[in-house]
Amino acid sequence: MITLIKLAWRNLWRNKRRTLITVASVFVAVFLALLMRSVQRAMYDTALDNAVRLSTGHLQVHREGYWKDKTINKTMTIKDSTREKIAAIENVAVAAPRLESFALVSSGPQTKGAAVVGTDPEIENRLTNLREKVVEGSYLEPGGALVASGVAEYLKLGVGDTIVLLGQGYHGSTAAGAYPIVGVFEYPMKELNNSMIYLALDDAQYLYAAPRRLTSLTLMLDDGDDLEETREEVVATLGEGYETLPWQEMNRELVQFIRSDNVGGIIMLAILYVVVAFGVFGSIVMMTLERRKEFGVMVAVGLRKGKLATIVFFESIFVTFVGVVAGSVGAIPIFAYFSANPIPLTGEAASAYEAFGFPPAILFSLDPGLFLNQASVTAVIALVAAVYPAFVVMNLQAARAMRA
Amino acid sequence: MNVIETKDLKKVYDESAVAVTAVDGVSLSFEKGEFACLVGPSGCGKTTLLNMIGGLDEPTEGTAIVGDVDLSELSSRELVDFRLRNVGFVFQAYNLIPVFTARENVEFIMHMQGMPEKERKRRAEEVLTAVGLGDRLDARPSELSGGQQQRVAVARALAPKPKFIIADEPTANLDSKSTGALLDMMLEMNREEKITFLFSTHDRRVTERARRLVTLEDGKVAKDERR
């Protein structure tokens, strides 16, 4: 086998120019494919991670029907013992109780609609790392409000100023309260950053006249891949009257957008790979046709056709493998640099990204799966391209080939 | 003792609109250790007859018995193995593997035969030295002259110690000096190893030294003379 591999490798370099052109075409295609997929993957991952980490968590427990009709009247109560049981489930890292609703927030003549999240400050910090996102003042504490920088800017407020919240409370009561701003935080997602205000859970329950009531118990898991199993455990712990939704269901628009965008990416990839396949195939066909006589001689002197087919098979594999390795090796340092230093977007491009919930920057993913996928696809191309010479060899008649 | 025997061997090519009979009912036998030439004008069927005897081409009719084997009874795969174990080929155009060195070219068939590496290296070196290329073992075909390449081709055919050497116009591209050296070498191998040599040629330098001349005309044996 080593001799056959050696022979295949040397055959590859008999026509250096042709081999290099083929390798270059594979290199360019793999590099471009990796570039496209790396940017897409990083964008998707970041958007989903932001959505899960900053907003929905992996799982949320609600009162049944809440997600379809998000009103304060569909809040729930959960016994402390049940919450503790859920928090103790092996894969549950954090179980954050939240009371979320809307309110008009005003300061002087300025008024704005805002999403108010009442939460346990310490548990929330474990869920969203909210403390790290504070850019001014201090972290959330009972009696105060932590305001997103977009809201603070709009209302021209800062730490120490007071905001007034006005909304509808539980069962039609009026929700009204004034809270000093203890800190201003900044989220990477513009939509969240322009609308969010955090209060301590007790303060929010008091504001909305909903003592001990929650809109959700938001769960962050240690391993998101085991989501379904964990969900089943949570459902079993809760009993009737609750709904436990996975993040995919709560971020349906984002997931659907990613799916459709991903299909576009796959179509582009397919076009790229068709071009590569033709390049490799053309090269292999030329290599095969111009060596028919040589193949005839090799079979004549006693080389089995199967072994000859193995040689040309390896040639096909090598020519694509060299291109894949070169493309991947070329891509890794560039992607690593831009992964650490994303290219920021400004203006309309940034707005368009933010409108879809994506961070306004070109990010790069270094997921090894991306590289393995490209290697697998090109390996398939090489295998398909190798069918033709293998077919020629297996149907070769030595005497006729030598007469050619 | 006959080691090659053909009975009413016939080959008709019907690939084009008009069928062409290349070999037409040839019955011949060759004894072990013969040094024989097939001669005749171009298109008289020399190469086709050699190809059928070497198991490269299937006869349309008749049989070729080589050693104790009726080649018509072998499958395509068995024919490849038969050639590997029994027949050495030397072609007009050398047909060496261009990416292998002289030594690797000679080793290749022995390697396919499963000969241990040490033994085949020693044998390749020995035969290449015998054909006067002991100092060009690691040269690739493109670095050798036509005469040297043909000597490598002969070494490749001889090294596995085949029962027969089939040589199709082996000297057609060689100058007089190379032809003389090559023939001397093949005659010596023929004498010492008792290998049967079967040539097709137009070259008088070869026919003058052959011990048997079979003349073909229009695919038939016109004359068969022993010297």
Side-chain angles (χ1 to χ4, degrees):
Chain A
M1 184 58 85
I2 289 169
T3 303
L4 301 184
I5 292 171
K6 194 198 292 183
L7 188 56
W9 179 254
R10 289 190 193 171
N11 278 335
L12 210 59
W13 302 103
R14 281 161 70 165
N15 190 332
K16 282 196 185 94
R17 189 182 299 173
R18 185 174 58 214
T19 300
L20 287 174
I21 288 171
T22 310
V23 167
S25 72
V26 176
F27 168 87
V28 170
V30 167
F31 186 86
L32 290 178
L34 281 171
L35 179 70
M36 195 171 75
R37 296 305 282 171
S38 173
V39 169
Q40 274 185 319
R41 175 67 68 80
M43 191 167 79
Y44 301 159
D45 288 351
T46 308
L48 290 174
D49 191 61
N50 282 344
V52 169
R53 193 159 283 284
L54 303 181
S55 178
T56 61
H58 286 112
L59 284 172
Q60 276 192 9
V61 175
H62 313 124
R63 177 174 153 185
E64 197 161 11
Y66 170 78
W67 194 253
K68 277 190 181 164
D69 181 19
K70 296 189 197 75
T71 73
I72 192 84
N73 293 333
K74 292 208 169 166
T75 49
M76 64 182 177
T77 53
I78 295 183
K79 287 180 189 164
D80 287 347
S81 59
T82 308
R83 262 171 62 184
E84 281 163 15
K85 274 185 195 167
I86 290 171
I89 291 172
E90 199 182 341
N91 194 30
V92 173
V94 183
R98 283 174 174 171
L99 177 66
E100 296 179 59
S101 189
F102 295 93
L104 281 173
V105 51
S106 63
S107 171
Q110 299 277 47
T111 302
K112 182 176 173 49
V116 177
V117 180
T119 186
D120 180 307
E122 289 316 311
I123 298 176
E124 186 67 33
N125 184 50
R126 282 166 52 207
L127 184 81
T128 59
N129 279 328
L130 187 57
R131 193 189 296 273
E132 281 180 16
K133 293 174 178 68
V134 173
V135 291
E136 195 186 330
S138 58
Y139 184 55
L140 180 63
E141 57 191 57
L146 189 63
V147 180
S149 62
V151 177
E153 263 173 46
Y154 183 84
L155 297 174
K156 297 185 177 63
L157 293 174
V159 174
D161 293 331
T162 299
I163 52 168
V164 174
L165 299 177
L166 186 65
Q168 188 184 336
Y170 187 56
H171 282 175
S173 63
T174 299
Y179 302 88
I181 299 174
V182 293
V184 175
F185 69 94
E186 196 161 303
Y187 266 168
M189 293 166 77
K190 199 172 178 181
E191 194 184 328
L192 297 179
N193 205 50
N194 284 342
S195 63
M196 293 197 70
I197 294 173
Y198 282 95
L199 299 177
L201 182 60
D202 288 346
D203 293 341
Q205 286 170 336
Y206 183 79
L207 171 69
Y208 288 108
R212 298 189 62 78
R213 301 196 76 81
L214 302 174
T215 49
S216 72
L217 184 64
T218 302
L219 309 180
M220 187 64 81
L221 307 184
D222 285 324
D223 184 357
D225 292 338
D226 291 339
L227 185 135
E228 194 46 43
E229 286 166 24
T230 311
R231 195 178 84 91
E232 282 168 15
E233 280 187 70
V234 172
V235 169
T237 308
L238 282 165
E240 299 276 310
Y242 297 93
E243 64 185 15
T244 305
L245 301 182
W247 62 266
Q248 294 93 331
E249 215 166 304
M250 293 182 286
N251 295 286
R252 199 171 272 175
E253 282 180 14
L254 180 61
V255 170
Q256 279 173 352
F257 174 79
I258 286 173
R259 272 190 197 144
S260 60
D261 190 67
N262 193 37
V263 168
I266 288 169
I267 291 169
M268 284 300 293
L269 269 188
I271 293 169
L272 262 177
Y273 280 125
V274 166
V275 172
V276 175
F278 275 109
V280 172
F281 185 67
S283 199
I284 295 290
V285 167
M286 287 301 292
M287 281 162 73
T288 306
L289 292 180
E290 71 184 18
R291 285 160 59 203
R292 279 180 82 98
K293 187 175 180 186
E294 183 183 318
F295 290 164
V297 171
M298 291 173 95
V299 172
V301 300
L303 182 67
R304 281 187 184 164
K305 288 177 185 175
K307 286 186 174 173
L308 187 53
T310 307
I311 292 171
V312 291
F313 170 76
F314 276 121
E315 287 174 22
S316 172
I317 293 289
F318 285 155
V319 80
T320 41
F321 182 74
V322 171
V324 171
V325 170
S328 303
V329 168
I332 287 170
I334 296 169
F335 292 7
Y337 175 80
F338 285 114
S339 176
N341 305 282
I343 302 166
L345 291 174
T346 55
E348 286 181 13
S351 304
Y353 267 56
E354 285 169 339
F356 287 105
F358 296 119
I362 298 177
L363 309 167
F364 286 75
S365 169
L366 283 172
D367 181 358
L370 285 174
F371 295 86
L372 284 175
N373 283 346
Q374 306 317 313
S376 310
V377 173
T378 38
V380 169
I381 289 172
L383 286 173
V384 172
V387 169
Y388 172 74
F391 177 79
V392 167
V393 166
M394 296 312 284
N395 288 289
L396 188 85
Q397 287 183 304
R400 188 182 293 178
M402 285 194 295
R403 278 199 298 273
Chain B
M1 187 183 81
N2 292 336
V3 290
I4 298 171
E5 196 167 348
T6 69
K7 289 178 188 167
D8 300 324
L9 215 51
K10 187 172 182 177
K11 179 71 183 179
V12 179
Y13 291 111
D14 54 0
E15 291 158 11
S16 55
V18 182
V20 176
T21 304
V23 173
D24 193 3
V26 170
S27 296
L28 282 170
S29 55
F30 297 91
E31 290 177 6
K32 184 176 169 64
E34 279 208 56
F35 198 86
C37 277
L38 301 180
V39 295
S42 292
C44 70
K46 302 186 293 292
T47 300
T48 305
L49 180 58
L50 281 185
N51 283 346
M52 287 191 289
I53 291 171
L56 283 174
D57 233 344
E58 260 179 68
T60 312
E61 285 175 24
T63 54
I65 297 167
V66 182
D68 298 328
V69 181
D70 182 347
L71 299 187
S72 62
E73 289 177 357
L74 299 184
S75 67
S76 160
R77 190 180 169 133
E78 285 168 336
L79 274 172
V80 172
D81 285 343
F82 170 81
R83 293 195 296 269
L84 180 67
R85 308 268 165 212
N86 297 285
V87 190
F89 288 95
V90 182
F91 306 99
Q92 178 181 343
Y94 327 135
N95 289 327
L96 300 175
I97 299 171
V99 293
F100 273 177
T101 62
R103 188 208 305 259
E104 288 168 335
N105 264 289
V106 175
E107 270 187 57
F108 187 64
I109 294 172
M110 294 185 282
H111 185 62
M112 292 298 121
Q113 288 177 337
M115 190 183 286
E117 187 180 357
K118 205 171 168 183
E119 194 182 332
R120 66 171 189 261
K121 280 194 185 308
R122 185 195 54 73
R123 177 74 181 146
E125 209 169 313
E126 180 185 295
V127 179
L128 279 166
T129 305
V131 300
L133 291 172
D135 56 344
R136 305 306 311 274
L137 297 174
D138 295 319
R140 291 207 179 177
S142 58
E143 296 161 352
L144 298 171
S145 69
Q148 287 173 323
Q149 286 187 55
Q150 194 61 303
R151 277 191 274 164
V152 175
V154 171
R156 177 177 67 181
L158 287 172
K161 296 187 178 170
K163 293 183 178 123
F164 325 97
I165 297 273
I166 288 178
D168 189 9
E169 310 259 10
T171 57
N173 295 329
L174 301 184
D175 58 29
S176 297
K177 195 177 160 195
S178 299
T179 299
L182 195 71
L183 283 170
D184 286 345
M185 190 185 76
M186 291 201 278
L187 278 163
E188 192 183 330
M189 298 283 182
N190 170 252
R191 236 183 350 259
E192 289 181 0
E193 309 272 351
K194 293 286 177 217
I195 295 171
T196 306
F197 278 79
L198 206 50
F199 293 86
S200 80
T201 188
H202 288 107
D203 193 339
R204 279 183 56 195
R205 296 167 296 185
V206 180
T207 56
E208 279 169 3
R209 301 179 72 171
R211 292 196 289 273
R212 181 178 173 189
L213 279 183
V214 177
T215 307
L216 293 178
E217 278 176 16
D218 298 329
K220 295 180 177 170
V221 177
K223 198 158 51 170
D224 185 356
E225 52 182 324
R226 291 172 194 270
R227 293 169 174 172

